[in-house]
């Protein structure tokens, strides 16, 4: 009737992948699903079908679900086609929300709305199972809570351990790319997140005072990786110790001293994320062989903050370097003996200010 023949095409690395895609499109068409709908991104599919996905819910439930969708699900998974979302992708998304210190109810609401949208996709015949029905995230949440209570236990013990790890990761990577080791050393010595290391530009480095102004971080978004402000929404200054200054000079030279050039890039010039670092260096295998089965990329930040605390950096300075919003978060990095001294001082203060002590002083 329209005198037009709409088409849908995709490119694939192999003929088998292409045939699988054709089969999926034919199956979707046989079920009455438009091919464009069958290949729609999660963000677009959710926008189009959210009314169906949330039908039957009360308004008091709908509001937190929509907030979870907008603030967490879409920025993390929205750029992926619905039929390409896997259990692993959802697992990593949930772990990222927990690592960002989202509350338990916030994570629960974000998972719930994702489950409902994917359930609608299942009814539409776009997928044959719901990958959002993940289990065990409560245990992962417990691990994150333990990490927040005792981040010192996750730190590497010393400089030799750090350099050994960096060298082992480089040796295991394809082409033995030295940049992966540089990222690890820089992240640990500056107590920075991997996303912040990726967002570092040459212009952010001051080689006269040897400081780094942390202004941005690289994070996933519906359109792919983007640079945005730091987690605390404000810039902070971090010292660059002598042990990594030669590394920084070398990275600046590799960027041709361009102020807008990235200090750290992948071997093909791409942006670095914690997942990219993990996959490129076979991280899990390397740390297991070194005896650090618990070690994750974020633990490089715990390592740096623990070392700074043990070196005697005052807690209020450490808080600024870390970019913590709460002083209590920074205090977790203090050595237990030092914390006991602080607690003893607080006990003495309360004692001297007690009514009974003041009465005795008046009599004297």
């Amino acid at each position: 009737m329209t005198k037009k023949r709409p088409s849908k095409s995709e490119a694939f690395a192999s003929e088998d992948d292409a045939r699988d895609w054709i089969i999926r499109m034919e199956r979707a068409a046989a079920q009455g699903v438009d091919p464009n709908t069958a290949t729609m991104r999660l963000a677009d599919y959710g926008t189009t079908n959210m009314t169906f996905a949330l039908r039957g819910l009360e308004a008091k439930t709908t509001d937190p679900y929509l907030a979870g969708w907008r603030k967490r699900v879409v920025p993390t998974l929205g750029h992926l086609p619905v039929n390409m979302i896997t259990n692993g992708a959802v697992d990593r998304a949930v772990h990222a929300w927990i690592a960002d210190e989202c509350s338990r109810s916030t994570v629960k609401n974000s998972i719930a709305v994702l489950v409902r949208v994917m359930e609608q996709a299942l009814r539409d015949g776009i997928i044959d199972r719901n990958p959002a029905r993940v289990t065990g995230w409560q245990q992962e949440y417990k691990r994150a809570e333990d990490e927040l209570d005792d981040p010192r236990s996750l730190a590497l013990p010393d400089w030799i351990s750090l350099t050994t790890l960096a060298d082992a990761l480089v040796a295991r990577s394809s082409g033995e790319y030295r940049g992966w080791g540089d990222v690890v050393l820089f992240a640990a010595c500056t107590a920075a997140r991997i996303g912040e290391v990726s967002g570092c530009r040459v212009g952010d480095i001051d080689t006269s005072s040897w400081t780094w102004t942390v202004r941005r971080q690289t994070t996933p978004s519906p359109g792919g990786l983007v640079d945005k402000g730091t987690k605390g929404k404000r810039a902070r200054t971090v010292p660059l110790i002598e042990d990594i200054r030669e590394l920084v000079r070398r990275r600046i030279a590799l960027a041709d001293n361009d102020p807008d050039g990235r200090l750290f890039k992948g071997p093909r010039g791409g942006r670095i994320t914690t997942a990219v670092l993990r996959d490129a260096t076979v991280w899990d295998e390397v740390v297991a062989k070194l005896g650090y089965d618990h070690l994750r990329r974020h633990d490089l930040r715990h390592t740096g903050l623990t070392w700074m605390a043990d070196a005697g950096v005052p807690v209020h300075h450490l808080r600024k370097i870390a970019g913590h919003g709460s002083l209590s978060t920074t205090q977790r990095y203090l050595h237990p003996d030092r914390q006991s001294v602080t607690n003893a001082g607080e006990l003495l203060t309360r004692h001297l200010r007690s009514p009974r002590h003041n009465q005795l002083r008046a009599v004297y």
Side-chain angles (χ1 to χ4, degrees), residues 37-69:
T37 301
T39 56
M40 192 177 289
R41 295 184 313 158
L42 177 63
D44 299 329
Y45 181 82
T47 300
T48 305
N49 297 279
M50 190 61 72
T51 302
F52 295 107
L54 299 185
R55 62 182 178 272
L57 294 180
E58 298 181 6
K60 65 179 181 180
T61 304
T62 300
D63 289 344
Y65 276 24
L66 290 176
W69 174 263

Side-chain angles (χ1 to χ4, degrees), residues 95 97-105 107 137-154 296 302 329 332:
H95 178 79
W97 301 336
I98 295 172
D100 284 342
E101 302 179 22
C102 294
S103 69
R104 191 183 294 267
S105 62
V107 173
W137 66 271
Q138 292 87 348
Q139 286 77 9
E140 188 66 25
Y141 207 99
K142 181 62 169 61
R143 172 191 165 99
E145 290 174 340
D146 292 342
E147 173 183 320
L148 293 175
D149 289 338
D150 187 19
R152 293 180 57 88
S153 64
L154 303 172
R296 297 172 302 162
H302 295 318
T329 302
R332 296 187 179 105

Side-chain angles (χ1 to χ4, degrees), residues 1-5:
M1 293 177 65
T2 62
K3 308 298 183 182
K4 296 179 180 179
R5 179 178 292 176

Side-chain angles (χ1 to χ4, degrees), residues 46-175:
T47 300
T48 305
N49 297 279
M50 190 61 72
T51 302
F52 295 107
L54 299 185
R55 62 182 178 272
L57 294 180
E58 298 181 6
K60 65 179 181 180
T61 304
T62 300
D63 289 344
Y65 276 24
L66 290 176
W69 174 263
R70 186 178 65 256
K71 295 182 178 181
R72 278 161 291 280
V73 176
V74 171
T76 309
L77 298 169
H79 61 289
L80 296 174
V82 174
N83 58 9
M84 295 296 290
I85 294 176
T86 62
N87 287 114
V90 176
D91 279 336
R92 287 189 288 273
V94 172
H95 178 79
W97 301 336
I98 295 172
D100 284 342
E101 302 179 22
C102 294
S103 69
R104 191 183 294 267
S105 62
T106 295
V107 173
K108 180 176 178 292
N109 289 335
S110 301
I111 295 174
V113 69
L114 177 59
V115 167
R116 280 184 161 265
V117 170
M118 297 304 289
E119 198 66 29
Q120 182 62 38
L122 181 61
R123 287 192 290 269
D124 282 340
I126 299 175
I127 54 178
D128 54 12
R129 63 185 180 84
N130 191 336
R133 293 190 178 279
V134 294
T135 59
W137 66 271
Q138 292 87 348
Q139 286 77 9
E140 188 66 25
Y141 207 99
K142 181 62 169 61
R143 172 191 165 99
E145 290 174 340
D146 292 342
E147 173 183 320
L148 293 175
D149 289 338
D150 187 19
R152 293 180 57 88
S153 64
L154 303 172
L156 288 168
D158 49 42
W159 175 258
I160 295 177
S161 302
L162 176 62
T163 54
T164 300
L165 171 64
D167 292 339
L169 292 170
V170 170
R172 190 64 179 81
S173 67
S174 176

